[in-house]
Amino acid sequence: MVIVSSNSDSDDSHKLREKKRFVDISTPSDELIVRNEESMRPSKFRDFIGQIQLKKLLSISVEASLTRKEPLDHILLYGPPGLGKTTMAMLLAEEIGVKCHISSAPALERPRDILGIILNLKDCELLFIDEIHRLTRVSEELLYPAMEDFRVDLTVGRGSSSRIRSISLPRFTLIGATTRPASISSPLRDRFGITHRFDFYNFKELQMIVERTADFFKLAITKEASYQIACRCRGTPRLANRLVRRVRDFATVKGQNKKIEESLVNEALNLLHIDKRGLDATDRKLLTNLVQFHGGGPVGLDTLAASLGEDSATLESVVEPFLLQIGFLERTPRGRVITVEARNHLSQ
Ligand code: ADP
């Protein structure tokens, strides 16, 4: 695996995901060169926990494409950050036995950025574009014929002597990932053969992810302790991994390296202000603000974002989905409303 630059472990905020990156996975068996998030990704399709429907659907597509020696259909994956969209793209490449070229829309501002990548793709290779809804219009338009007919149309020359030159491309698969599917233009969305939503993980799946990560760090952990972390990681594997690292730090400092117990997890997570329902300081700030300054709602997203001093896109794609999922927040036509359950939780 050759990593030119990648996201750090603290990057599930929308802003940091804008960091330009390009990851080139050479061969599946290449040695891992970093012991961070990248090396914690499952390296086999079967090690990918949860998202059962998607795995079923994709294994059929992979088998069909291998049998027919054709590229996979273009795939659009959407859902909150940290749920495994990038990981799934890498695993698909592994399954097919091809390279996965990973980039993100902010790194592909100019058409030549995207051209540079697609002209160098080889037959059946995968191109993963993160935050695809942020592609510029010119880059997006360049992708239309590339996705549909595996060709790009370039304008050569200027003024009256200009002409269109078509260049054939290798047959490739585009995997687009986004946290904001509604922001993708319909011509682009229509060109994806498979569109799938990533859901939050249940406690059992998260517990398996926590135990897998603990194992990766050679950390012994009790069932009760791994379950506690699973309950408090907002249904998100990236956060589960991060909490394991924080608990590990805590155990090291406390000199409790033998076995991670539930009491140690509770102590560590309380210190991080992560409560029993997995709410962190930002979640509580949002809910408290909603009650104190907007009478519990309804209040528009932009007003709420302004009163919190947050960016509304981050609020909508990173903070809100989990609160909506656990029934602490409602989205109504007139704005956001706090639920009775959330009020009860805040008063505990
Ligand atoms: P996204 O692209 O949706 O933001 P990533 O694919 O980068 O999310 O996943 C973040 C981290 O979470 C990965 O490094 C990986 O270790 C872990 N992860 C995600 N999904 C799974 C899963 N289903 N099983 C095990 N680990 C996972």
Side-chain angles (χ1 to χ4, degrees):
M1 182 190 287
V2 184
I3 297 179
V4 180
S5 95
S6 71
N7 285 359
S8 72
D9 73 335
S10 60
D11 68 348
D12 66 356
S13 101
H14 188 73
K15 282 179 204 156
L16 284 180
R17 288 185 64 81
E18 291 176 13
K19 276 176 25 185
K20 296 182 178 183
R21 60 183 186 157
F22 188 88
V23 184
D24 187 3
I25 311 302
S26 39
T27 61
S29 57
D30 272 1
E31 235 185 288
L32 300 167
I33 57 163
V34 276
R35 280 183 79 80
N36 58 18
E37 188 170 274
E38 293 304 331
S39 55
M40 254 188 280
R41 288 186 200 281
S43 56
K44 295 266 175 275
F45 204 62
R46 62 173 179 273
D47 293 338
F48 190 91
I49 296 158
Q51 311 292 346
I52 295 162
Q53 272 303 104
L54 177 65
K55 277 198 293 187
K56 268 190 204 152
L57 176 79
L58 291 181
S59 21
I60 292 172
S61 301
V62 166
E63 209 178 316
S65 108
L66 286 173
T67 312
R68 293 198 302 258
K69 296 190 175 45
E70 280 176 7
L72 271 183
D73 217 341
H74 304 299
I75 303 171
L76 179 65
L77 304 174
Y78 66 96
L83 296 189
K85 300 181 287 297
T86 314
T87 309
M88 181 53 87
M90 291 175 169
L91 292 179
L92 280 176
E94 158 97 26
E95 283 295 293
I96 304 170
V98 292
K99 270 188 190 177
C100 180
H101 300 259
I102 299 195
S103 189
S104 69
L108 305 171
E109 255 166 37
R110 298 159 305 174
R112 70 165 176 221
D113 298 325
I114 212 159
L115 265 179
I117 298 182
I118 52 178
L119 287 175
N120 286 306
L121 291 174
K122 298 204 173 62
D123 203 39
C124 292
E125 281 188 347
L126 266 53
L127 168 61
F128 177 85
I129 303 183
D130 204 3
E131 296 299 333
I132 197 160
H133 64 274
R134 306 186 67 215
L135 276 181
T136 55
R137 236 188 79 207
V138 261
S139 296
E140 199 181 300
E141 281 170 5
L142 200 126
L143 274 181
Y144 298 159
M147 290 171 78
E148 220 156 45
D149 304 319
F150 302 117
R151 61 156 229 278
V152 279
D153 299 325
L154 303 176
T155 312
V156 187
R158 281 167 188 255
S160 55
S161 63
S162 72
R163 61 203 158 79
I164 303 276
R165 204 180 134 205
S166 283
I167 300 177
S168 302
L169 295 172
R171 301 169 311 159
F172 71 102
T173 299
L174 176 67
I175 305 189
T178 179
T179 50
R180 297 166 61 91
S183 306
I184 298 184
S185 71
S186 57
L188 181 59
R189 204 170 34 230
D190 292 347
R191 283 170 170 83
F192 288 98
I194 300 172
T195 298
H196 195 92
R197 182 191 147 82
F198 265 67
D199 290 319
F200 286 112
Y201 292 68
N202 63 37
F203 292 158
K204 205 168 150 219
E205 292 163 348
L206 291 163
Q207 191 175 14
M208 286 164 77
I209 293 173
V210 167
E211 284 168 5
R212 184 181 168 273
T213 308
D215 201 44
F216 175 86
F217 286 123
K218 304 199 180 345
L219 213 63
I221 186 163
T222 65
K223 283 271 166 221
E224 295 75 20
S226 60
Y227 187 72
Q228 264 310 311
I229 300 181
C231 294
R232 292 163 85 160
C233 64
R234 305 170 62 97
T236 308
R238 178 180 289 140
L239 201 49
N241 289 345
R242 191 179 309 161
L243 295 187
V244 173
R245 284 197 294 259
R246 297 295 74 81
V247 168
R248 176 176 173 244
D249 289 351
F250 196 76
T252 307
V253 172
K254 289 257 170 184
Q256 293 182 16
N257 283 329
K258 275 194 224 127
K259 196 160 197 172
I260 308 288
E261 307 272 352
E262 188 181 4
S263 55
L264 185 106
V265 168
N266 285 336
E267 223 182 311
L269 299 191
N270 290 344
L271 200 69
L272 291 169
H273 301 292
I274 296 170
D275 69 24
K276 296 266 179 208
R277 293 296 301 264
L279 265 57
D280 62 15
T282 313
D283 301 313
R284 280 193 301 276
K285 200 169 131 199
L286 183 148
L287 296 172
T288 314
N289 185 289
L290 201 51
V291 174
Q292 286 180 349
F293 300 106
H294 308 285
V299 59
L301 175 68
D302 290 336
T303 312
L304 188 61
S307 70
L308 285 165
E310 280 281 358
D311 158 53
S312 52
T314 308
L315 219 58
E316 192 178 24
S317 57
V318 180
V319 187
E320 283 190 349
F322 179 66
L323 296 175
L324 290 164
Q325 146 98 6
I326 61 169
F328 275 20
L329 196 67
E330 272 171 12
R331 261 184 203 157
T332 70
R334 291 174 55 222
R336 274 56 176 171
V337 182
I338 190 169
T339 64
V340 177
E341 208 189 339
R343 281 181 191 270
N344 292 342
H345 180 75
L346 286 182
S347 61
Q348 274 167 20

